PDB file of all heavy atoms in Angstrom:
ATOM      1  N   THR A 123     178.393  94.003 -52.754  1.00  0.00           N
ATOM      2  CA  THR A 123     178.710  95.426 -52.619  1.00  0.00           C
ATOM      3  C   THR A 123     178.119  95.989 -51.330  1.00  0.00           C
ATOM      4  O   THR A 123     178.773  96.711 -50.580  1.00  0.00           O
ATOM      5  CB  THR A 123     178.163  96.216 -53.833  1.00  0.00           C
ATOM      6  OG1 THR A 123     178.624  95.567 -55.011  1.00  0.00           O
ATOM      7  CG2 THR A 123     178.611  97.660 -53.825  1.00  0.00           C
ATOM      8  N   GLN A 124     176.858  95.604 -51.069  1.00  0.00           N
ATOM      9  CA  GLN A 124     176.214  96.105 -49.852  1.00  0.00           C
ATOM     10  C   GLN A 124     176.875  95.520 -48.605  1.00  0.00           C
ATOM     11  O   GLN A 124     177.063  96.229 -47.609  1.00  0.00           O
ATOM     12  CB  GLN A 124     174.715  95.794 -49.869  1.00  0.00           C
ATOM     13  CG  GLN A 124     173.950  96.380 -48.687  1.00  0.00           C
ATOM     14  CD  GLN A 124     174.090  97.887 -48.595  1.00  0.00           C
ATOM     15  OE1 GLN A 124     174.058  98.602 -49.599  1.00  0.00           O
ATOM     16  NE2 GLN A 124     174.292  98.406 -47.376  1.00  0.00           N
ATOM     17  N   ALA A 125     177.257  94.241 -48.674  1.00  0.00           N
ATOM     18  CA  ALA A 125     177.873  93.583 -47.508  1.00  0.00           C
ATOM     19  C   ALA A 125     179.156  94.305 -47.108  1.00  0.00           C
ATOM     20  O   ALA A 125     179.504  94.361 -45.928  1.00  0.00           O
ATOM     21  CB  ALA A 125     178.153  92.120 -47.808  1.00  0.00           C
ATOM     22  N   GLU A 126     179.841  94.862 -48.091  1.00  0.00           N
ATOM     23  CA  GLU A 126     181.087  95.555 -47.766  1.00  0.00           C
ATOM     24  C   GLU A 126     180.855  96.952 -47.201  1.00  0.00           C
ATOM     25  O   GLU A 126     181.763  97.551 -46.645  1.00  0.00           O
ATOM     26  CB  GLU A 126     181.995  95.567 -48.988  1.00  0.00           C
ATOM     27  CG  GLU A 126     182.362  94.118 -49.316  1.00  0.00           C
ATOM     28  CD  GLU A 126     183.536  93.941 -50.232  1.00  0.00           C
ATOM     29  OE1 GLU A 126     183.778  94.850 -51.050  1.00  0.00           O
ATOM     30  OE2 GLU A 126     184.186  92.889 -50.130  1.00  0.00           O
ATOM     31  N   LYS A 127     179.612  97.466 -47.353  1.00  0.00           N
ATOM     32  CA  LYS A 127     179.301  98.788 -46.770  1.00  0.00           C
ATOM     33  C   LYS A 127     178.711  98.619 -45.372  1.00  0.00           C
ATOM     34  O   LYS A 127     179.336  98.920 -44.381  1.00  0.00           O
ATOM     35  CB  LYS A 127     178.325  99.534 -47.666  1.00  0.00           C
ATOM     36  CG  LYS A 127     178.928  99.986 -48.981  1.00  0.00           C
ATOM     37  CD  LYS A 127     177.904 100.791 -49.759  1.00  0.00           C
ATOM     38  CE  LYS A 127     178.360 101.072 -51.176  1.00  0.00           C
ATOM     39  NZ  LYS A 127     177.215 101.419 -52.029  1.00  0.00           N
ATOM     40  N   ILE A 128     177.476  98.136 -45.319  1.00  0.00           N
ATOM     41  CA  ILE A 128     176.850  97.904 -44.009  1.00  0.00           C
ATOM     42  C   ILE A 128     175.885  96.737 -44.158  1.00  0.00           C
ATOM     43  O   ILE A 128     175.026  96.757 -45.025  1.00  0.00           O
ATOM     44  CB  ILE A 128     176.136  99.173 -43.461  1.00  0.00           C
ATOM     45  CG1 ILE A 128     175.430  98.901 -42.120  1.00  0.00           C
ATOM     46  CG2 ILE A 128     175.133  99.757 -44.434  1.00  0.00           C
ATOM     47  CD1 ILE A 128     176.360  98.779 -40.955  1.00  0.00           C
ATOM     48  N   GLU A 129     176.083  95.720 -43.329  1.00  0.00           N
ATOM     49  CA  GLU A 129     175.256  94.519 -43.466  1.00  0.00           C
ATOM     50  C   GLU A 129     173.928  94.642 -42.730  1.00  0.00           C
ATOM     51  O   GLU A 129     172.924  94.114 -43.157  1.00  0.00           O
ATOM     52  CB  GLU A 129     176.036  93.279 -43.008  1.00  0.00           C
ATOM     53  CG  GLU A 129     176.141  93.074 -41.494  1.00  0.00           C
ATOM     54  CD  GLU A 129     176.790  94.241 -40.765  1.00  0.00           C
ATOM     55  OE1 GLU A 129     177.723  94.850 -41.323  1.00  0.00           O
ATOM     56  OE2 GLU A 129     176.364  94.552 -39.638  1.00  0.00           O
ATOM     57  N   HIS A 130     173.940  95.362 -41.611  1.00  0.00           N
ATOM     58  CA  HIS A 130     172.662  95.576 -40.932  1.00  0.00           C
ATOM     59  C   HIS A 130     172.735  96.783 -40.012  1.00  0.00           C
ATOM     60  O   HIS A 130     173.780  97.076 -39.420  1.00  0.00           O
ATOM     61  CB  HIS A 130     172.227  94.352 -40.124  1.00  0.00           C
ATOM     62  CG  HIS A 130     170.827  94.501 -39.602  1.00  0.00           C
ATOM     63  ND1 HIS A 130     169.739  94.625 -40.446  1.00  0.00           N
ATOM     64  CD2 HIS A 130     170.329  94.584 -38.349  1.00  0.00           C
ATOM     65  CE1 HIS A 130     168.642  94.778 -39.724  1.00  0.00           C
ATOM     66  NE2 HIS A 130     168.965  94.760 -38.452  1.00  0.00           N
ATOM     67  N   ILE A 131     171.619  97.460 -39.921  1.00  0.00           N
ATOM     68  CA  ILE A 131     171.478  98.559 -38.965  1.00  0.00           C
ATOM     69  C   ILE A 131     169.999  98.609 -38.582  1.00  0.00           C
ATOM     70  O   ILE A 131     169.135  98.364 -39.412  1.00  0.00           O
ATOM     71  CB  ILE A 131     171.955  99.909 -39.583  1.00  0.00           C
ATOM     72  CG1 ILE A 131     171.859 101.058 -38.584  1.00  0.00           C
ATOM     73  CG2 ILE A 131     171.167 100.270 -40.828  1.00  0.00           C
ATOM     74  CD1 ILE A 131     172.948 101.042 -37.529  1.00  0.00           C
ATOM     75  N   LEU A 132     169.732  98.863 -37.337  1.00  0.00           N
ATOM     76  CA  LEU A 132     168.331  98.940 -36.920  1.00  0.00           C
ATOM     77  C   LEU A 132     167.605 100.039 -37.700  1.00  0.00           C
ATOM     78  O   LEU A 132     168.221 101.005 -38.140  1.00  0.00           O
ATOM     79  CB  LEU A 132     168.225  99.176 -35.406  1.00  0.00           C
ATOM     80  CG  LEU A 132     168.603 100.547 -34.865  1.00  0.00           C
ATOM     81  CD1 LEU A 132     168.139 100.676 -33.429  1.00  0.00           C
ATOM     82  CD2 LEU A 132     170.092 100.814 -34.960  1.00  0.00           C
ATOM     83  N   LEU A 133     166.285  99.870 -37.833  1.00  0.00           N
ATOM     84  CA  LEU A 133     165.534 100.815 -38.669  1.00  0.00           C
ATOM     85  C   LEU A 133     164.691 101.800 -37.841  1.00  0.00           C
ATOM     86  O   LEU A 133     163.873 102.536 -38.373  1.00  0.00           O
ATOM     87  CB  LEU A 133     164.657 100.046 -39.671  1.00  0.00           C
ATOM     88  CG  LEU A 133     164.267 100.768 -40.960  1.00  0.00           C
ATOM     89  CD1 LEU A 133     165.469 101.096 -41.825  1.00  0.00           C
ATOM     90  CD2 LEU A 133     163.258  99.958 -41.759  1.00  0.00           C
ATOM     91  N   ALA A 134     164.898 101.809 -36.517  1.00  0.00           N
ATOM     92  CA  ALA A 134     164.222 102.793 -35.680  1.00  0.00           C
ATOM     93  C   ALA A 134     165.259 103.846 -35.298  1.00  0.00           C
ATOM     94  O   ALA A 134     166.332 103.494 -34.776  1.00  0.00           O
ATOM     95  CB  ALA A 134     163.657 102.141 -34.426  1.00  0.00           C
ATOM     96  N   ASP A 135     164.974 105.090 -35.603  1.00  0.00           N
ATOM     97  CA  ASP A 135     165.914 106.209 -35.431  1.00  0.00           C
ATOM     98  C   ASP A 135     167.107 106.156 -36.388  1.00  0.00           C
ATOM     99  O   ASP A 135     167.947 107.051 -36.377  1.00  0.00           O
ATOM    100  CB  ASP A 135     166.439 106.324 -33.984  1.00  0.00           C
ATOM    101  CG  ASP A 135     165.366 106.831 -33.033  1.00  0.00           C
ATOM    102  OD1 ASP A 135     164.520 107.653 -33.482  1.00  0.00           O
ATOM    103  OD2 ASP A 135     165.349 106.417 -31.864  1.00  0.00           O
TER     104      ASP A 135
END
Side-chain angles (χ1 to χ4, degrees):
T123 308
Q124 185 58 41
E126 296 196 332
K127 290 184 190 160
I128 177 74
E129 78 302 324
H130 189 62
I131 182 75
L132 72 167
L133 205 64
D135 288 327

